[in-house]
Amino acid sequence: MADIIQLLPDHVANQIAAGEVVQRPASVVKELLENAIDAGSQNIKLIIKDAGKTLIQVIDDGKGMSVTDARLSFERHATSKIRTADDLFQLNTKGFRGEALASIAAIAHVELKTKQEQDEVGTTLVIEGSDVKSQDVVVTPKGTSIAVKNLFFNIPARRNFLKSNAVETRHIIDEFHRVALAHPNIGFVMFHNGSESFNLPISNYRQRIVNIFGNKTNERLVPVDEDTEVLKISGFVGKPEFAKKTRGEQFFFVNNRFIKSAYLNHAIGSAFEGLLKDGAHASYFLNLTVNPQTIDINIHPTKTEIKFDDEHTLYAILRSAVKHSLGQFNIAPVLDFERDANLDTPYSYQQKGTPSVTVDSNFNPFADEKISKGNTTNTVSYKKEPTANWESLYVGLESKGNTSQQDFGEVHFESEQENTSVFSDINAIEQKQSTYQFHNKYIVSTIKSGLLLIDQNRAHQRVLYEDFLKHITVKEGMSQQLLFPLELHFSPQEIEIIKELKNDLEHTGFVFQTLEKEKIEITGVPVMVPESEVSIILEQLISDVENEVPDSHFSATDLLAKSMAKSLAIKTGQSLTTVEQEHLVNSLFACKEPNVSPVNRATFITMTVDELDKKFV
Ligand code: ADP
Ligand code: MG
């Protein structure tokens, strides 16, 4: 049989390589910015049109290229940055593979202009899908400009796979931030569709962070500095009280290269242990400098992961450096963020043995039916909310400095007995109601065929979600005017997200007076939203958008409704009056899809008499 193996033509090989290097417009942005940095530029300008789908251009004032280099730079494996394999372990440039320009030129229309300082004139090259269309002499300033147009023009499948402009822009901005944060000594400007989105002058690191994330960031930064033989750390962590629900502001740079490392992230997490609210993530902007010989950045094609020789040591140093900074800047542990002071009382009463009995009208008899009623001899005072028990226990134990399992169990037992005694007192009062709240979490009601158990939080989310969706689509949300405008501060990027959702937010009842680079002023809020909750709701919304990245207008609306429903819904642990319980049950069953929460979790379960009977066999 004849031989069948052939070498692929270059343009095909390049197109295949492009699949790895260029996933989306943001990948091109990253490669071009990194090349500009490697060229020793002082100022770099990024110009984007239509989220990079139409144009991505990077203009630098770096060292430029000679005529021959300009032509060679688009060849695969053509690089000026390494010469031998050993150089791979001495890298101090961003690039080294020599693949980026060849890959980009294989799948786009590229226009290069470049000139070295000492030359009178420069070179311009036009390449379309790896074909050099023209090469000329050009008058151009020192440095390089590369314009990439019509990305994926010859791979329609890839082009169709691109996400909405909002999503692609966010990816581009993320890359821009990473590069700009790693190089405060270089000035960056970014234009999108003709308007300036960022202008970051040469500055120190702190100013760079503030210029990107907004003025309010300044007071939130705690410096971290550590210099050891194996690792030098400099940068900042965010004060714990400003920690975000999103992982957005977490940046590690190793030798000026942005990296992701779950392991090192864990080191920071453990340094913050006990300082963060549940679900909150510490912010950090940390530069790690290590000997290039002790890392391998070669393991990932897009180079955001690297391998360290001695990760354990780095972990330990990083953790202790961050801990030390937090301690030094007097950031004392704040364990009791949102604790209700009321919860502290019962246990201390109990310890003193104050002999009074408080009757609780919210108390839920259903919960205790299974407990023997005989014991009414307790003299311990008990307040409201039986479900708060575990929390009050926790408080008590904490003050004793004792967390042994045994104590926990013992106290819990007492509290149940106590409930029983209260139960017998109020049994008569509550007999008429058709719903019961159980553990401040479930509402129990009866239906013809048996029992209905409703999760109060999920049910309320469903009700609010359908409400918000309706308001947004019919554009008729009721607004309440605020006495004084509410001023809130966000980073420019966060403001962008709010801007994207502005119309929808207005339909729910928000009224924005100002929506500027870092500041918003709100003069009206939806009727059901308390003023004090507004900033929390918006922060949650931004975090949800950042994490889920809505893809179309429809899903953005949906996300807004979900996010607001989540923020405003009755929480687990909240006690409800009988009227509130009934209202919630009725509203739930007036919904279009009462049986699931907005994120598709069951809102209720039923237990038929048959099922119950079986349990009693
Ligand atoms: P790599 O960066 O891995 O070397 P690239 O394909 O990104 O590979 O670039 C190829 C070569 O082109 C670089 O090694 C560099 O010599 C040259 N080059 C690319 N961009 C620029 C620029 N903005 N200024 C000067 N030289 C550049
Ligand atoms: Mg490169």
Side-chain angles (χ1 to χ4, degrees):
M1 214 170 113
D3 299 334
I4 50 171
I5 297 179
Q6 293 182 357
L7 277 179
L8 288 175
D10 270 358
H11 69 275
V12 180
N14 286 339
Q15 208 165 327
I16 293 169
E20 273 204 357
V21 181
V22 186
Q23 276 118 19
R24 51 176 13 125
S27 332
V28 175
V29 169
K30 171 173 187 274
E31 293 297 336
L32 297 185
L33 289 176
E34 291 190 346
N35 279 346
I37 291 166
D38 286 343
S41 310
Q42 292 285 298
N43 291 288
I44 299 174
K45 190 168 172 179
L46 169 66
I47 301 169
I48 300 293
K49 285 212 176 103
D50 300 324
K53 294 172 185 172
T54 314
L55 171 75
I56 300 160
Q57 184 173 15
V58 170
I59 304 170
D60 68 50
D61 58 0
K63 66 178 182 229
M65 284 178 265
S66 68
V67 188
T68 330
D69 281 355
R71 187 71 178 248
L72 256 184
S73 67
F74 290 96
E75 294 296 325
R76 203 143 64 95
H77 305 309
T79 180
S80 56
K81 298 170 193 174
I82 55 173
R83 299 204 177 267
T84 69
D86 286 347
D87 292 347
L88 275 174
F89 301 98
Q90 293 291 349
L91 280 175
N92 41 31
T93 55
K94 306 275 167 189
F96 58 89
R97 292 160 188 265
E99 279 182 327
L101 290 187
S103 302
I104 294 167
I107 50 163
H109 296 169
V110 178
E111 231 180 275
L112 165 83
K113 282 182 189 159
T114 188
K115 186 182 91 75
Q116 293 180 303
E117 183 149 41
Q118 68 279 10
D119 294 342
E120 287 283 303
V121 285
T123 310
T124 174
L125 260 177
V126 176
I127 303 182
E128 296 181 358
S130 300
D131 271 353
V132 179
K133 296 282 174 190
S134 69
Q135 173 167 357
D136 274 308
V137 169
V138 72
V139 176
T140 182
K142 171 207 167 199
T144 303
S145 155
I146 299 186
V148 176
K149 297 178 186 163
N150 309 322
L151 188 65
F152 298 130
F153 79 99
N154 50 358
I155 320 180
R158 294 296 292 275
R159 203 171 164 88
N160 294 338
F161 253 104
L162 292 179
K163 305 266 175 160
S164 68
N165 281 4
V167 174
E168 295 301 341
T169 305
R170 202 159 299 131
H171 284 291
I172 289 175
I173 291 176
D174 281 348
E175 288 298 349
F176 179 77
H177 283 171
R178 292 168 183 176
V179 172
L181 279 171
H183 298 275
N185 54 339
I186 299 175
F188 289 90
V189 205
M190 173 175 162
F191 286 88
H192 189 201
N193 290 336
S195 60
E196 186 183 277
S197 336
F198 290 94
N199 189 341
L200 311 172
I202 293 172
S203 62
N204 64 28
Y205 192 43
R206 187 179 198 122
Q207 285 164 330
R208 175 59 51 94
I209 296 171
V210 169
N211 285 336
I212 293 177
F213 295 104
N215 284 324
K216 57 154 197 203
T217 322
N218 197 13
E219 70 202 67
R220 303 182 178 179
L221 298 176
V222 181
V224 181
D225 272 297
E226 183 70 69
D227 203 346
T228 70
E229 236 166 65
V230 280
L231 171 68
K232 185 171 175 298
I233 306 170
S234 70
F236 301 89
V237 293
K239 290 185 185 165
E241 64 265 41
F242 300 110
K244 298 201 152 193
K245 293 211 175 103
T246 134
R247 288 177 179 274
E249 292 171 7
Q250 301 190 323
F251 297 90
F252 278 126
F253 300 93
V254 172
N255 298 357
N256 292 333
R257 185 189 297 275
F258 172 80
I259 61 136
K260 285 183 184 157
S261 164
Y263 186 65
L264 295 184
N265 179 59
H266 190 272
I268 309 271
S270 85
F272 271 83
E273 208 174 324
L275 297 173
L276 295 174
K277 280 193 241 187
D278 265 1
H281 300 284
S283 312
Y284 53 85
F285 310 86
L286 293 171
N287 298 302
L288 315 182
T289 313
V290 298
N291 180 343
Q293 288 185 345
T294 65
I295 52 173
D296 180 1
I297 44 187
N298 216 354
I299 58 170
H300 197 277
T302 47
K303 296 173 279 182
T304 50
E305 281 157 25
I306 65 177
K307 233 175 101 203
F308 297 97
D309 279 357
D310 188 1
E311 260 190 340
H312 296 304
T313 310
L314 300 194
Y315 183 102
I317 299 173
L318 186 60
R319 178 170 179 269
S320 90
V322 171
K323 257 196 142 148
H324 181 232
S325 291
L326 290 171
Q328 208 175 24
F329 286 83
N330 255 340
I331 299 169
V334 191
L335 282 167
D336 49 352
F337 277 100
E338 281 164 351
R339 201 173 63 208
D340 181 348
N342 289 329
L343 299 181
D344 295 18
T345 28
Y347 194 76
S348 49
Y349 275 174
Q350 186 174 20
Q351 282 174 323
K352 287 181 209 145
T354 316
S356 69
V357 169
T358 324
V359 174
D360 171 24
S361 60
N362 284 323
F363 180 66
N364 177 2
F366 184 85
D368 297 308
E369 235 147 19
K370 60 181 185 297
I371 300 165
S372 123
K373 289 180 192 172
N375 189 346
T376 50
T377 54
N378 266 305
T379 53
V380 185
S381 150
Y382 247 87
K383 81 157 253 210
K384 323 203 162 198
E385 306 166 84
T387 52
N389 284 343
W390 70 268
E391 283 165 289
S392 51
L393 290 176
Y394 173 68
V395 170
L397 290 170
E398 188 188 274
S399 68
K400 287 200 297 182
N402 186 345
T403 49
S404 83
Q405 198 57 44
Q406 194 199 343
D407 270 9
F408 212 91
E410 188 182 298
V411 183
H412 190 65
F413 179 62
E414 278 172 19
S415 73
E416 281 191 347
Q417 284 192 325
E418 183 49 35
N419 291 347
T420 314
S421 69
V422 177
F423 166 68
S424 55
D425 288 334
I426 58 165
N427 196 12
I429 311 170
E430 300 227 350
Q431 245 166 13
K432 268 189 240 116
Q433 62 181 70
S434 67
T435 57
Y436 296 119
Q437 195 187 17
F438 172 58
H439 267 246
N440 284 359
K441 179 170 187 194
Y442 298 109
I443 296 170
V444 186
S445 185
T446 49
I447 43 173
K448 229 195 252 159
S449 58
L451 264 184
L452 190 63
L453 255 165
I454 300 168
D455 180 311
Q456 67 187 41
N457 172 264
R458 292 183 190 176
H460 198 214
Q461 282 198 39
R462 163 54 59 182
V463 173
L464 292 175
Y465 168 71
E466 292 201 5
D467 245 27
F468 281 125
L469 267 193
K470 192 172 84 203
H471 290 156
I472 298 169
T473 22
V474 298
K475 308 181 180 4
E476 53 139 33
M478 296 267 282
S479 184
Q480 54 177 331
Q481 185 91 24
L482 298 178
L483 208 49
F484 301 103
L486 181 65
E487 193 180 306
L488 299 172
H489 295 266
F490 291 97
S491 75
Q493 202 189 352
E494 292 169 339
I495 295 278
E496 280 307 308
I497 292 176
I498 296 177
K499 275 187 187 160
E500 279 165 30
L501 291 168
K502 179 168 177 266
N503 282 344
D504 285 347
L505 281 166
E506 282 172 349
H507 297 147
T508 67
F510 279 101
V511 182
F512 295 96
Q513 191 176 52
T514 350
L515 196 51
E516 305 176 336
K517 217 171 170 198
E518 293 187 23
K519 186 176 87 173
I520 59 178
E521 275 180 325
I522 295 173
T523 51
V525 294
V527 241
M528 65 248 271
V529 175
E531 190 176 336
S532 57
E533 294 278 305
V534 174
S535 69
I536 299 169
I537 289 172
L538 292 180
E539 203 199 302
Q540 178 69 53
L541 177 65
I542 289 166
S543 136
D544 286 347
V545 172
E546 280 177 338
N547 291 333
E548 289 206 12
V549 206
D551 211 1
S552 61
H553 181 72
F554 168 74
S555 55
T557 306
D558 191 65
L559 201 128
L560 169 66
K562 272 185 196 152
S563 174
M564 292 200 29
K566 184 167 73 185
S567 296
L568 288 166
I570 293 165
K571 302 281 180 298
T572 298
Q574 196 169 330
S575 90
L576 302 174
T577 64
T578 316
V579 181
E580 286 166 343
Q581 295 167 30
E582 279 167 5
H583 184 68
L584 178 58
V585 176
N586 291 336
S587 316
L588 176 67
F589 288 102
C591 283
K592 283 194 200 135
E593 279 186 71
N595 47 333
V596 285
S597 78
V599 289
N600 265 325
R601 302 270 178 75
T603 48
F604 63 83
I605 54 162
T606 53
M607 270 186 136
T608 62
V609 180
D610 273 357
E611 282 168 333
L612 286 169
D613 284 346
K614 276 186 201 141
K615 294 204 186 279
F616 283 99
V617 182

